[in-house]
Amino acid sequence: MAQGKDAMTKATFYDEAKTYWEDIPPTVNGMLGGYGTISSADVKGSIKFIKPMLMCEWNERVGSEKALDCGAGIGRVSKHVLLPLFQSVDLVEQEQKFLDEAPSFLGEASSNVGKYICCGLQDFVPQPKHYDVIWCQWVLGHLTDEHLVNFFKRCKEGLKDGGVMCIKENISREGVIFDEQDSSVTRSSKELTKIFRKAGLKIFREEVQRNFPLEIYLVKMFALR
Ligand SMILES: C[S@@+](CC[C@H](N)C(=O)[O-])C[C@H]1O[C@@H](n2cnc3c(N)ncnc32)[C@H](O)[C@@H]1O
């Protein structure tokens, strides 16, 4: 288990991830590591998770004005989950090639994109009190523990009052597992929860994604504030 923790301390941890993504085509299949067919189950699960938060009783309701898609790739989550639910969505992604593809992938809905931001999440600073929802999916394994805590702290500042962070990530059974193919780690719920706590974030909803192939990691969604 120390293996994943050690991998994050390598000077090449970020460079090797960048090299991996530079070679990946700007397609849904590319975004999902060859598992493009799971996109529609993924989208259904995400909508089922987030929609009740936007529709619930007035004093608990999360606003639906402005969302941020972190590690957005070509905008798969923006297109199918966020743009149908929010008035405006910003995308932050480190690979410019994916952002270049996003407007044509998003089609008409791209008129509701605010900004395309090319930046690694380890360096990204959201505007204070700007977003109702900050969505991070299948990207946080590319950040070291320390960078992830600091990223979460900055995101907390970037949320409007009553806003939420939504995290959707692969989950290991135990510890931190390194994937040398794309230079990322998969954390257990326990490891992630430790990081949430260090960042001062509390879980107020948690759900397992259903209807995914059995051979892939368990995927969980967390809503935090
Ligand atoms: C598995 S894809 C997921 C894309 C999108 N979230 C989705 O679910 O379709 C991971 C994305 O994270 C991006 N990425 C990797 N490391 C990153 C980093 N440090 N900061 C921002 N984006 C990063 C990759 O370029 C890629 O677009």
Side-chain angles (χ1 to χ4, degrees):
M1 296 306 161
Q3 193 202 0
K5 294 266 184 195
D6 293 348
M8 286 188 278
T9 63
K10 284 197 313 184
T12 53
F13 180 65
Y14 286 102
D15 292 341
E16 283 172 8
K18 198 152 187 5
T19 305
Y20 171 82
W21 287 107
E22 273 165 9
D23 279 346
I24 295 298
T27 60
V28 168
N29 221 22
M31 296 297 97
L32 300 182
Y35 278 92
T37 51
I38 68 170
S39 187
S40 89
D42 168 60
V43 164
K44 275 190 198 137
S46 300
I47 292 173
K48 186 172 151 275
F49 182 69
I50 193 174
K51 220 172 166 179
M53 294 187 242
L54 310 179
M55 308 274 169
C56 69
E57 289 301 311
W58 174 244
N59 61 345
E60 288 171 15
R61 189 187 301 160
V62 176
S64 48
E65 208 183 321
K66 187 96 193 157
L68 175 69
D69 183 357
C70 294
I74 59 172
R76 189 188 64 87
V77 174
S78 287
K79 178 171 180 163
H80 298 295
V81 180
L82 301 175
L83 283 161
L85 294 173
F86 292 85
Q87 286 170 34
S88 172
V89 178
D90 291 341
L91 281 70
V92 55
E93 160 60 46
Q94 75 167 8
E95 180 56 49
Q96 184 62 50
K97 174 182 66 178
F98 296 152
L99 291 179
D100 290 343
E101 180 64 18
S104 75
F105 176 73
L106 295 171
E108 273 181 25
S110 67
S111 58
N112 292 332
V113 171
K115 283 186 265 181
Y116 297 95
I117 305 159
C118 189
C119 186
L121 299 184
Q122 62 278 18
D123 300 317
F124 177 67
V125 184
Q127 264 178 262
K129 291 195 185 289
H130 196 59
Y131 295 104
D132 297 296
V133 169
I134 298 181
W135 188 278
C136 305
Q137 180 162 357
W138 282 325
V139 63
L140 299 180
H142 283 299
L143 267 57
T144 64
D145 286 0
E146 192 189 346
H147 284 162
L148 188 50
V149 170
N150 290 328
F151 167 70
F152 280 156
K153 285 183 178 168
R154 296 192 298 273
C155 285
K156 215 176 152 203
E157 298 296 313
L159 288 175
K160 291 184 192 170
D161 293 338
V164 285
M165 291 210 62
C166 292
I167 311 297
K168 186 166 188 176
E169 290 291 337
N170 291 346
I171 301 292
S172 69
R173 272 174 202 259
E174 203 188 349
V176 180
I177 296 170
F178 180 56
D179 180 343
E180 62 182 22
Q181 195 192 5
D182 67 353
S183 188
S184 71
V185 293
T186 299
R187 299 175 170 95
S188 63
S189 275
K190 195 169 155 197
E191 292 288 335
L192 267 179
T193 307
K194 268 195 248 171
I195 291 173
F196 298 156
R197 198 176 317 121
K198 280 189 187 162
L201 288 167
K202 288 203 180 88
I203 300 173
F204 79 95
R205 269 195 84 192
E206 184 177 342
E207 213 170 291
V208 171
Q209 168 70 43
R210 305 278 169 209
N211 303 321
F212 270 3
L214 291 177
E215 75 268 19
I216 66 173
Y217 278 116
L218 175 80
V219 172
K220 268 192 176 182
M221 293 168 274
F222 299 92
L224 312 158
R225 52 162 62 119

